[in-house]
Amino acid sequence: SQTIHQWPATLVQPVGSPLSLECTVEGTSNPNLYWYRQAAGRGLQLLFYSVGIGQISSEVPQNLSASRPQDRQFILSSKKLLLSDSGFYLCAWNLNGQVAFFGQGTRLTVV
Amino acid sequence: AQSVTQLGSHVSVSEGALVLLRCNYSSSVPPYLFWYVQYPNQGLQLLLKYTTGATLVKGINGFEAEFKKSETSFHLTKPSAHMSDAAEYFCAVSKAAGNKLTFGGGTRVLVKP
């Protein structure tokens, strides 16, 4: 069966520090991978999605970047965090047009 | 481009009353449509989906949704709300043969005793 792992669950980082959030999927091949962010009261915002290794589409210009070094690994990064980067980050995967499965999320607080 | 609009960011219902959450979409090709539920500090879970076939779709926890092509809608209903239905609900659309999944802004449901 397929599983998705996302870590860490919570993170408190100072402004200006780097960020690396990792997401891995097991039990499937060549999934579409997504990073979403939920800021308080602002719904679910698609940040990045990837249809294959090294293929990243950015939805919103921002202080973040994403990489997909392996088929089932998706990394969200920042060189210098801003206060506005605080939020709940969700990784997800699906196969074309099909149901998406979500990780448990990372609560990031930038202080 | 595809998009999803959920009318009402917050809905309050009494326990036992009808739950109705509205979702309208735009898509240039036949869509796949989904409803997800999110409990606090958790990821999203699938409630139900429409891909092809019967336009009335039944999901988990007594929820159902009807795909109406002429109205470009996929509203979610439950005849009788339960306290455990308090959560945030998201409607989503993807292209039938495409890749990207697009979500609406979400509707937070409060259930009053």
Side-chain angles (χ1 to χ4, degrees):
Chain A
S1 63
Q2 302 92 355
T3 57
I4 178 169
H5 303 282
Q6 184 182 344
W7 68 92
T10 59
L11 192 59
V12 180
Q13 292 285 95
V15 169
S17 65
L19 173 73
S20 180
L21 302 181
E22 188 164 343
C23 173
T24 60
V25 179
E26 297 177 358
T28 188
S29 296
N30 197 30
N32 304 316
L33 295 172
Y34 306 82
W35 278 111
Y36 291 90
R37 177 171 63 197
Q38 283 182 292
R42 296 189 63 181
L44 200 63
Q45 180 184 37
L46 178 62
L47 301 176
F48 301 95
Y49 74 99
S50 171
V51 300
I53 296 174
Q55 301 178 62
I56 309 294
S57 295
S58 175
E59 291 295 298
V60 181
Q62 63 220 320
N63 185 41
L64 301 169
S65 62
S67 61
R68 185 171 177 173
Q70 301 180 44
D71 181 45
R72 290 167 288 179
Q73 183 184 30
F74 205 25
I75 298 172
L76 183 69
S77 303
S78 174
K79 293 182 178 179
K80 291 185 178 181
L81 283 169
L82 306 172
L83 287 174
S84 58
D85 292 324
S86 293
F88 191 53
Y89 289 81
L90 288 162
C91 180
W93 74 272
N94 76 341
L95 299 175
N96 286 351
Q98 299 304 313
V99 173
F101 296 92
F102 284 79
Q104 289 302 293
T106 297
R107 174 73 58 191
L108 172 65
T109 303
V110 183
V111 297
Chain B
Q2 56 197 28
S3 65
V4 180
T5 301
Q6 291 183 240
L7 294 178
S9 59
H10 292 79
V11 169
S12 181
V13 300
S14 297
E15 191 174 19
L18 172 71
V19 179
L20 170 61
L21 305 182
R22 299 180 185 275
C23 172
N24 289 88
Y25 70 91
S26 67
S27 177
S28 57
V29 298
Y32 286 359
L33 295 160
F34 308 85
W35 275 100
Y36 289 83
V37 62
Q38 184 184 31
Y39 299 101
N41 294 311
Q42 294 187 24
L44 278 68
Q45 304 170 33
L46 181 71
L47 275 178
L48 49 79
K49 65 178 181 179
Y50 168 80
T51 53
T52 59
T55 57
L56 182 61
V57 180
K58 295 186 183 299
I60 63 172
N61 301 339
F63 284 94
E64 62 182 36
E66 186 171 11
F67 169 57
K68 292 187 177 180
K69 184 178 179 180
S70 61
E71 298 178 8
T72 61
S73 69
F74 192 56
H75 302 331
L76 181 72
T77 60
K78 181 174 180 178
S80 177
H82 191 272
M83 296 299 292
S84 61
D85 294 326
E88 189 158 17
Y89 293 80
F90 292 90
C91 182
V93 63
S94 70
K95 296 178 183 179
N99 299 325
K100 191 172 64 175
L101 188 63
T102 301
F103 284 85
T107 299
R108 189 172 298 277
V109 173
L110 172 66
V111 181
K112 299 176 293 184

